[in-house]
Amino acid sequence: MATFDKGILGGFSGKVGTVVGAYWRGKNVMRSLPRTTERPATPAQELQRTKFTVVAKFLTPIKFLVGAHFGTEQGDKSPFNLATSYHLKEAVMEVGDDIEMDLPKVLISKGGLQGLQGQSFVAEAASVMRVAWGDNSGQGLAEPDDALAVVVYCPDLNLFETYVPAAQRQDEQVDLTAPGYFSGLEVHAWATFISADGGMAATSSYLGSITVT
């Protein structure tokens, strides 16, 4: 991929001959068209494509969070690209003939802010999900007003519920109400802290699973 300031007609978007132009991250970029091939994909290539599809479908509903708080941009790799790469390598597994997310290894954020300590995730009456943690303000860059973000996922429905912000670090506990359609179903949850100005995040914690009552 090449960048250019001025072409014959300036920047352009779309296919022209054997190249494609676009405006990407404030720059005019140009790349060659991919070569077509009639060679069938190898089993390893098919497996990787399936893994990529599974990861992309899983992360896309929470892209607003993962894409903003999964490390920092590295070259042409955005935080969401980095998240996708991590999950492809670390958080998918083969279950028989299927590819599934390895939920305990999922991360919704990655960063240097102090994360949760002593966390718990408990089902209460009336579809309430209680998240508790210890106030570790003052450790590293942790502040009392760091925002808690919680992501809840129901595998049976393939649906997410997000609570951003859910509370502050200093609160030590929050009761979250699950939607009615989660009642009686198992859900998994992850939580992280984000600084008050949104500039930093912690590496998220997997809270475990509960059945919503």
Side-chain angles (χ1 to χ4, degrees):
M1 182 173 64
T3 62
F4 61 98
D5 294 325
K6 295 181 180 180
I8 296 174
L9 299 176
F12 69 95
S13 176
K15 185 173 71 171
V16 177
T18 60
V19 298
V20 175
Y23 190 72
W24 182 71
R25 296 187 182 177
K27 298 179 181 179
N28 292 305
V29 299
M30 185 169 54
R31 61 179 175 82
S32 61
L33 289 170
R35 295 180 181 178
T36 58
T37 177
E38 297 180 358
R39 184 182 301 171
T42 66
Q45 289 172 328
E46 289 287 1
L47 178 61
Q48 190 66 9
R49 290 173 185 173
T50 301
K51 288 181 177 180
F52 182 85
T53 299
V54 169
V55 168
K57 286 183 177 179
F58 182 82
L59 291 179
T60 296
I62 53 173
K63 185 175 181 178
F64 77 97
L65 180 63
V66 176
H69 300 293
F70 208 95
T72 56
E73 184 176 307
Q74 297 179 10
D76 61 351
K77 291 185 178 180
S78 68
F80 191 73
N81 294 147
L82 296 174
T84 300
S85 179
Y86 163 80
H87 287 87
L88 279 171
K89 294 176 182 176
E90 305 293 343
V92 288
M93 58 185 179
E94 297 180 47
V95 181
D97 294 331
D98 296 327
I99 300 297
E100 298 180 4
M101 298 300 299
D102 190 349
L103 297 179
K105 294 183 180 179
V106 165
L107 295 178
I108 61 169
S109 66
K110 192 173 184 180
L113 195 62
Q114 191 75 16
L116 279 77
Q117 290 184 356
Q119 62 269 21
S120 63
F121 183 47
V122 179
E124 301 288 344
S127 297
V128 169
M129 305 172 292
R130 178 167 294 170
V131 181
W133 62 93
D135 181 5
N136 52 359
S137 300
Q139 295 182 6
L141 299 174
E143 297 290 345
D145 62 350
D146 291 335
L148 178 76
V150 180
V151 170
V152 178
Y153 174 65
C154 179
D156 288 343
L157 301 177
N158 192 27
L159 289 176
F160 287 94
E161 193 74 13
T162 58
Y163 303 84
V164 184
Q168 292 185 336
R169 189 187 295 269
Q170 62 191 350
D171 295 332
E172 297 189 297
Q173 179 177 296
V174 65
D175 286 346
L176 308 172
T177 301
Y181 43 81
F182 279 6
S183 181
L185 300 177
E186 181 185 51
V187 297
H188 297 253
W190 301 265
T192 190
F193 284 119
I194 302 168
S195 61
D197 65 2
M200 293 186 65
T203 296
S204 62
S205 298
Y206 173 63
L207 299 179
S209 63
I210 60 172
T211 298
V212 177
T213 56

